[in-house]
Amino acid sequence: METAAFETDLSLFKYDNLEQLPPEYRDLEADERTERIESALAELGDDVVILGHNYQREEIVEHADFIGDSYQLSKEAAQSDADYVIFGGVTFMAESADIITDDDQSVILPSMEASCPMAGMAEALQVDAAWAELTAALDADEEIIPITYMNSYADLKAFCAEQGGLVCTSSNAHKAFEYAFERGDKVLFLPDKHLGENTAHRLGMADETVEWDPWDVDGTDAADAVENDIILWEGYCQVHERFREHHIESIREDYPDANVIVHPECRREVVEAADVAGSTSTICESIAEADPGDTWAIGTEIHLTHHLQRWHPEVNVVPLCGEACMDCNAMRQIDPNYLAWVLEELVEGRERNVIEVAPEEKELAQVAMDRMLEI
């Protein structure tokens, strides 16, 4: 019943929002669209670089100069000489690229509708209010250090820097926690509670965590929350949270020899039931290094699963649950028609959907990211 409920609910949200496009771009046929994209790229030449996140559909990544996870792609953009960076991802990723690229590079998000729901679960006003409550409840000699996952908006990264904290990725979250505990007594981890809980388990601190729900007025009291060493923000990835233990049980029945690998944004019980948990880079490396004929079931966004099967046909790559279960609606907003539009506008000298982080915010967010690099 639970799986069916998920499939029913998700069908309401699977859509391609083309309403913001000029009418002439809404009904482009695939062949015409590809031809126009390639023509625009040929005319723009080295002035443009396209970044395709692992979770993007094939029609986007086939035009990408670089494919990878969010921070990796931002670094590629910063190392390029392109005037224009087209980010096939979501808003916080484009912000991160704007933070670390040169001032004379413009970062463009093809569709402004591509906004990560998890990043939106920790907005500045909520975090400011929570911070005031939590710090007021601390003993005079105690200090709390905030850590934000890379999957957050620039203003939250800036907030963490201002309060002595830093940014982390799913690969180095445990090191970020260690950094924080060397400098403070407690950690506030935002916005992904599942990554935070899995990291706490990795560090042997599973019994020292509590969740903070900014929407629950009758939830955990601040005084009770700071009795714990790790305070986890009530946020999550809407894709990775859908995975359940019964998905793994079904896979093991259908594929007894399968290796199950899941992202650490998944629920704790799913991570425990899997054979491996790791970032998108770890997932990609695991498939690339697999022996021919091996079966790997992947618990992450469906487009990466499809990419890996195409890139490594000698390995049997299967999704951990159905297509709807694994689909990221935010990534879906980067329709290839949008890519055609922003590229042809650049050919005409018009920059559309430029992502710009305010200078002061950018400077502080860079500090938080530099601290991550220190670890």
Side-chain angles (χ1 to χ4, degrees), residues 39-288:
S39 175
L41 287 173
E43 188 158 350
L44 293 165
D46 294 337
D47 288 341
V48 66
V49 63
I50 297 181
L51 310 178
H53 190 269
N54 284 316
Y55 297 165
Q56 277 298 337
R57 64 184 86 185
E58 183 179 2
E59 295 92 333
I60 297 296
V61 300
E62 68 180 359
H63 299 295
D65 297 289
F66 301 100
I67 304 168
D69 60 28
S70 60
Y71 188 58
Q72 172 195 349
L73 291 174
S74 293
K75 290 191 294 183
E76 296 287 2
Q79 292 167 8
S80 79
D81 295 323
D83 295 329
Y84 305 109
V85 176
I86 313 295
F87 209 129
V90 293
T91 309
F92 79 79
M93 298 178 187
E95 286 186 339
S96 295
D98 184 55
I99 290 166
I100 70 172
T101 51
D102 292 338
D103 290 341
D104 59 357
Q105 290 179 289
S106 295
V107 178
I108 292 173
L109 187 66
S111 171
M112 298 299 279
E113 299 294 317
S115 183
C116 173
M118 178 167 66
M121 291 179 186
E123 296 186 341
L125 288 175
Q126 293 174 310
V127 176
D128 287 344
W131 186 255
E133 287 188 60
L134 293 169
T135 53
L138 289 172
D139 291 339
D141 60 344
E142 290 184 318
E143 186 174 1
I144 185 169
I145 304 294
I147 304 172
T148 185
Y149 189 21
M150 185 65 71
N151 300 24
S152 59
Y153 290 122
D155 57 2
L156 183 50
K157 294 180 174 73
F159 168 86
C160 287
E162 204 166 19
Q163 304 302 333
L166 71 163
V167 176
C168 75
T169 66
S170 57
S171 298
N172 62 28
H174 62 293
K175 293 183 179 180
F177 274 58
E178 291 167 353
Y179 174 100
F181 281 119
E182 288 172 2
R183 292 159 176 78
D185 307 287
K186 303 178 187 300
V187 164
L188 171 63
F189 185 75
L190 314 100
D192 185 0
K193 65 179 180 180
H194 296 312
L195 177 59
E197 183 181 9
N198 288 319
T199 303
H201 273 265
R202 178 171 181 169
L203 297 175
M205 303 180 70
D207 296 330
E208 301 167 41
T209 66
V210 66
E211 291 183 15
W212 180 271
D213 187 347
W215 295 276
D216 186 359
V217 295
D218 298 317
T220 304
D221 183 81
D224 294 331
V226 297
E227 291 296 316
N228 298 270
D229 289 339
I230 300 174
I231 302 169
L232 305 174
W233 192 264
E234 175 61 35
Y236 53 86
C237 170
Q238 293 182 323
V239 172
H240 291 105
E241 208 216 15
R242 296 173 197 148
F243 294 107
R244 298 290 195 275
E245 283 182 278
H246 68 77
H247 293 133
I248 297 179
E249 292 167 1
S250 295
I251 283 290
R252 297 204 189 281
E253 290 178 5
D254 295 339
Y255 304 93
D257 297 327
N259 302 286
V260 177
I261 185 168
V262 301
H263 197 281
E265 291 176 18
C266 292
R267 296 166 180 264
R268 179 62 202 163
E269 59 268 25
V270 172
V271 169
E272 288 179 334
D275 299 303
V276 184
S279 66
T280 54
S281 294
T282 298
I283 292 171
C284 292
E285 290 166 4
S286 297
I287 305 305

Side-chain angles (χ1 to χ4, degrees), residues 22 24-25 40 44 84 108 338-353:
E24 62 269 25
Y25 285 93
L44 293 165
Y84 305 109
I108 292 173
Y338 278 98
L339 180 60
W341 172 59
V342 295
L343 287 171
E344 291 189 335
E345 286 292 280
L346 285 178
V347 169
E348 297 300 322
R350 295 186 288 267
E351 299 180 19
R352 301 293 188 180
N353 295 355

